Amino acid sequence: MGNNRVTKSKNTSEVGTGFKWFHATSVNGGAMVMAAVLASYLSVYMTDTLKLPAAICSLIMFIATLWDAINDPMMGVIADNTHTKVGRYRPYFLVAPVLLTFFATMVWIDWGFTSNTAKAIYILIMYIGYGMTVTMYTMPQMAILPAAVKKDSERNKIITIGAGSCAFAFTIGNTFTQNITDFFNKLGFANGYIPFMLICGALAFISFWGLYKASEGHERYLSEPEKHPLKGLGMVLKHKEVYPNIIAWIMASMGYGLMFSSSVYYMMYYYERPDLISTYMGVISIGALVSMVVAMPIVLKVFKSGQRALCFSQISTIAIYIILFFFGKTNFVFLCVLTFIASVTGAMQNALVNILVNDTIDFIMYKEGKSANGLVSSIKGFAQKCGNTVTTSGILAILAVSGYVAGAIGQQPDSAMFALNFIKFGAPSITGLIVVLCVVFGPIKKYKAQIEEMKAQQGEQEDAENKAC
């Protein structure tokens, strides 16, 4: 037998500490700081620095994120059918930081184009390149976890570590971006975003290449995938049981994205205090950090399952958002306190929905007897990108039709003020409610016993193979 097999007892970890931490800090390390900066500040950069009309910015985001969503299933099939000496998913971790650093840096370079068309085309090309790079590494990163670990408890622990890393990265990206870019500007850089992205890229090199090394020999629980892309998609999508999970992924992506992406506009134009943007973003980011690192493990322990924890997260957050929709402008301290609590309860949704990915992968393995790790991960990625598309382009589209005027602090029309408040607190309440309904009525959970039996048989088969080695 191969040398990659390692004899394990039932109580030992299936993967080493290096795998756990590099898995967490690959997608959720320097790459996540980049994602946070782009999510929260690129739209404002386009409208207020490059002076592009909001309608054009909305179209840029719509095209880029829609294509980003469409190519996810393609990447999933490619990843599942990759066969190299170093593994099925591992090769992508080598090239990921190279392309990521290039596109995430280039998108912030202003070449001095005078034409709005030229500005828009350049941003569109760079942002599409960035999105395709994220797709290229996200699918294999999600797919390799159920391929390496079969126990739900250990999977959840690794997801929790990743959630904490994600929250920490988002805290940096959302709270300190203005401070960091101002620091580089004072050092003489024309655009502080550029050196910031290069530093994040260096961190991405460390984590992705670390994951490549730590994941050696860990692609254990795999079978031959469906090689034809359409047949592969059909194999998964023919099961109606997976659709509630897909909808939950879309809605969770929207809810999480709105939490951050709308905040700069909200403070600048609805609250009319641009000087408080960093403070408010800090409240949200620190709340998200507490959510992932402290609250999520506690909630998982109390509610015993990711599904129940996700429902608690959404219901409690909805209640707070409704209060803030009507009374958020009453007092800044009141706004910050309730926003912090909502971030603590709500941010964990972004990690908890990944539990539904593992459930879906296990379900397809049970029903079809084939590995669909990359494909299911790509469907989740597609759903997430659809949510991102609605969030990023939707915010700008709503602002465009509401009469929003860039730079007009204190002079926005009532329609724009209502739109800003709805985007910040009304829309994520609706998405949260839909997530709860999908989880409560999701049918995959009724196969839990059969899936656990299947995984136990996989473990027994591996033990037998290890003894034979």
Side-chain angles (χ1 to χ4, degrees):
M1 299 299 294
N3 294 326
N4 291 337
R5 301 280 186 193
V6 179
T7 303
K8 306 178 294 297
S9 68
K10 291 183 178 180
N11 295 323
T12 58
S13 175
E14 295 180 86
V15 291
T17 301
F19 178 93
K20 296 175 183 177
W21 286 100
F22 284 125
H23 190 274
T25 58
S26 53
V27 171
N28 295 310
M32 186 56 68
V33 177
M34 292 176 174
V37 174
L38 287 166
S40 294
Y41 294 97
L42 182 58
S43 293
V44 179
Y45 172 76
M46 289 191 294
T47 57
D48 293 13
T49 301
L50 297 182
K51 303 299 182 183
L52 286 170
I56 291 179
C57 296
S58 175
L59 183 61
I60 290 172
M61 291 301 198
F62 178 80
I63 294 172
T65 53
L66 181 61
W67 167 244
D68 195 18
I70 291 171
N71 65 51
D72 272 20
M74 302 178 193
M75 185 62 216
V77 173
I78 292 171
D80 277 340
N81 286 280
T82 297
H83 297 286
T84 70
K85 293 181 179 180
V86 299
R88 187 177 296 185
Y89 304 119
R90 295 176 66 233
Y92 298 99
F93 305 145
L94 287 176
V95 297
V98 179
L99 296 176
L100 176 68
T101 303
F102 174 78
F103 287 113
T105 302
M106 293 297 289
V107 77
W108 297 103
I109 295 179
D110 181 0
W111 296 98
F113 297 125
T114 57
S115 165
N116 283 344
T117 301
K119 293 178 186 178
I121 292 173
Y122 174 76
I123 292 289
L124 178 62
I125 292 172
M126 292 301 115
Y127 198 57
I128 285 177
Y130 166 79
M132 292 183 69
T133 302
V134 173
T135 298
M136 182 196 67
Y137 65 69
T138 301
M139 302 306 104
Q141 191 263 3
M142 283 194 292
I144 203 168
L145 178 57
V149 180
K150 70 176 183 298
K151 293 184 290 188
D152 286 341
S153 59
E154 189 167 5
R155 289 178 181 177
N156 291 349
K157 287 179 182 177
I158 295 171
I159 289 173
T160 301
I161 296 171
S165 178
C166 175
F168 182 74
F170 249 94
T171 299
I172 295 173
N174 282 280
T175 307
F176 301 109
T177 290
Q178 289 185 326
N179 305 90
I180 294 170
T181 54
D182 287 345
F183 170 77
F184 284 120
N185 289 337
K186 290 177 182 178
L187 289 180
F189 289 92
N191 186 338
Y193 285 102
I194 294 173
F196 188 20
M197 293 297 99
L198 291 174
I199 292 172
C200 293
L203 296 174
F205 271 93
I206 295 172
S207 56
F208 275 106
W209 287 1
L211 178 59
Y212 172 81
K213 179 63 177 177
S215 60
E216 184 177 3
H218 284 308
E219 295 183 355
R220 303 185 185 96
Y221 308 114
L222 292 172
S223 62
E224 282 302 308
E226 176 56 62
K227 297 184 183 298
H228 193 282
L230 294 180
K231 287 183 179 179
L233 282 172
M235 178 184 73
V236 175
L237 297 179
K238 74 180 182 182
H239 296 286
K240 64 181 184 301
E241 291 90 346
V242 307
Y243 286 95
N245 285 356
I246 294 174
I247 295 171
W249 295 330
I250 295 173
M251 294 297 111
S253 173
M254 290 176 61
Y256 188 80
L258 287 167
M259 179 186 299
F260 292 96
S261 300
S262 62
S263 298
V264 173
Y265 283 110
Y266 180 83
M267 287 306 302
M268 184 176 292
Y269 297 111
Y270 184 79
Y271 219 84
E272 300 173 4
R273 292 292 302 271
D275 57 306
L276 295 176
I277 290 174
S278 293
T279 301
Y280 190 63
M281 295 298 282
V283 168
I284 296 172
S285 299
I286 293 172
L289 181 62
V290 173
S291 177
M292 302 292 196
V293 177
V294 180
M296 181 175 156
I298 295 173
V299 171
L300 278 170
K301 186 174 182 179
V302 170
F303 288 95
K304 308 297 183 184
S305 77
Q307 291 80 2
R308 288 194 290 268
L310 182 57
C311 289
F312 165 79
S313 164
Q314 296 306 281
I315 292 171
S316 54
T317 305
I318 290 169
I320 298 170
Y321 277 167
I322 291 173
I323 295 172
L324 288 173
F325 180 82
F326 291 103
F327 305 107
K329 205 173 182 181
T330 303
N331 178 276
F332 183 66
V333 174
F334 174 79
L335 172 67
C336 286
V337 170
L338 287 194
T339 298
F340 176 79
I341 297 172
S343 298
V344 171
T345 59
M348 66 180 75
Q349 69 177 305
N350 198 46
L352 290 172
V353 292
N354 287 331
I355 293 172
L356 303 180
V357 176
N358 296 326
D359 290 346
T360 306
I361 290 171
D362 290 340
F363 173 76
I364 296 301
M365 176 68 82
Y366 167 70
K367 282 289 188 178
E368 299 291 336
K370 293 184 178 181
S371 295
N373 298 41
L375 186 56
V376 172
S377 298
S378 71
I379 292 172
K380 190 267 183 180
F382 173 82
Q384 183 176 354
K385 303 293 176 56
C386 286
N388 290 342
T389 300
V390 175
T391 300
T392 54
S393 63
I395 288 174
L396 292 166
I398 291 173
L399 291 179
V401 301
S402 70
Y404 158 80
V405 181
I409 300 172
Q411 300 176 12
Q412 297 292 338
D414 291 342
S415 55
M417 295 292 278
F418 176 84
L420 289 163
N421 195 29
F422 175 78
I423 290 168
K424 177 61 182 170
F425 297 119
S429 297
I430 295 172
T431 61
L433 177 61
I434 296 173
V435 169
V436 171
L437 293 175
C438 289
V439 173
V440 170
F441 296 103
I444 286 182
K445 59 180 177 287
K446 71 180 182 181
Y447 295 94
K448 182 69 174 176
Q450 295 95 318
I451 290 172
E452 288 302 318
E453 182 180 354
M454 175 195 70
K455 290 194 289 186
Q457 292 173 352
Q458 289 177 332
E460 291 172 359
Q461 181 180 356
E462 188 192 12
D463 289 341
E465 292 175 352
N466 287 334
K467 292 177 181 178
C469 290

